[in-house]
Amino acid sequence: DTGVSQNPRHKITKRGQNVTFRCDPISEHNRLYWYRQTLGQGPEFLTYFQNEAQLEKSRLLSDRFSAERPKGSFSTLEIQRTEQGDSAMYLCASSQLQGAWQYFGPGTRLTVT
Amino acid sequence: KNEVEQSPQNLTAQEGEFITINCSYSVGISALHWLQQHPGGGIVSLFMLSSGKKKHGRLIATINIQEKHSSLHITASHPRDSAVYICAVKSGWFYFGTGTSLTVIP
């Protein structure tokens, strides 16, 4: 499978714990995006990378959230001190060029209890 | 008020019907995407538009930059078209509509 993959697919954690998600984009794509989607809403943009550089961050990305793409390939999204409001689907997408077709991964569903 | 508004929110159609989903946005954009999301969360990009019209199979997408409006049309709808269709625009950030849930009944 050469699409975008995300791991884990599901994560249940207790409030206050830290969680980390991973996204593996399509190999030749230099842009990688993170989105968050809550039930009944469209995805909300969180941040994106061009190669290893984080170029944009949404105001939604609080200090508890950090994303990295150290080698310009896979990316990780970490949430520290999780809160119940962090429960959502976290989606990753990748593309080759600015504004080009984005390929979405299956998402990681986070439940904070 | 959301930067991207879609209508209708829910749509039920009989197989074979012509379907239109509308998207209006309030910001200047560099591109507009139509996305399809199936149950379980998987999202597929259908179209990226910056002007005019694009067609892929039974799907047609149009955009009017002056009116800040786009439409997604599905001709000869089929039950496998049942999904949530999301309009998204890039304007600095990426903004998404809340989606239109389409159910096509055999």
Side-chain angles (χ1 to χ4, degrees):
Chain A
D1 188 335
T2 56
V4 179
S5 62
Q6 291 186 245
N7 288 288
R9 295 293 307 277
H10 304 274
K11 178 71 177 177
I12 299 173
T13 191
K14 292 186 177 180
R15 188 165 49 118
Q17 298 294 305
N18 299 344
V19 294
T20 300
F21 311 140
R22 175 176 170 130
C23 171
D24 287 87
I26 294 172
S27 59
E28 63 268 26
H29 286 182
N30 55 13
R31 292 214 162 191
L32 186 148
Y33 309 83
W34 284 100
Y35 299 93
R36 181 176 68 186
Q37 185 179 29
T38 52
L39 196 64
Q41 300 296 315
E44 297 169 298
F45 169 74
L46 293 178
T47 187
Y48 91 86
F49 293 83
Q50 178 160 313
N51 301 314
E52 65 275 9
Q54 189 173 18
L55 295 187
E56 288 188 39
K57 290 173 63 173
S58 163
R59 57 191 174 277
L60 295 173
L61 212 66
S62 75
D63 291 344
R64 296 185 298 106
F65 288 70
S66 61
E68 293 182 344
R69 195 183 183 198
K71 298 181 181 178
S73 56
F74 73 91
S75 175
T76 57
L77 177 68
E78 180 182 16
I79 308 174
Q80 296 182 322
R81 305 180 303 281
T82 52
E83 301 173 356
Q84 286 189 313
D86 297 331
S87 296
M89 175 77 85
Y90 290 84
L91 293 161
C92 174
S94 69
S95 71
Q96 282 187 306
L97 297 169
Q98 181 176 5
W101 202 262
Q102 292 186 34
Y103 294 81
F104 282 81
T108 294
R109 187 175 296 279
L110 173 66
T111 302
V112 182
T113 62
Chain B
K1 186 181 186 305
N2 292 333
E3 289 80 1
V4 181
E5 299 279 355
Q6 285 185 237
S7 63
Q9 284 191 309
N10 297 284
L11 182 57
T12 301
Q14 290 291 132
E15 184 173 356
E17 284 186 5
F18 180 85
I19 288 163
T20 296
I21 300 171
N22 294 300
C23 173
S24 296
Y25 52 92
S26 59
V27 295
I29 68 169
S30 56
L32 181 144
H33 290 251
W34 279 103
L35 310 171
Q36 181 191 55
Q37 186 173 30
H38 283 282
I43 290 180
V44 174
S45 290
L46 299 174
F47 294 103
M48 185 190 71
L49 294 169
S50 54
S51 65
K53 176 180 175 178
K54 287 191 175 180
K55 184 175 188 295
H56 181 69
R58 296 179 295 105
L59 301 179
I60 303 167
T62 64
I63 188 169
N64 185 317
I65 297 294
Q66 287 73 30
E67 294 185 5
K68 296 187 174 179
H69 181 271
S70 177
S71 294
L72 176 69
H73 306 285
I74 305 175
T75 61
S77 59
H78 189 276
R80 65 174 173 266
D81 297 327
S82 298
V84 175
Y85 292 83
I86 302 171
C87 172
V89 302
K90 186 174 190 299
S91 175
W93 312 124
F94 292 85
Y95 298 97
F96 291 76
T98 54
T100 294
S101 179
L102 171 65
T103 303
V104 181
I105 300 169

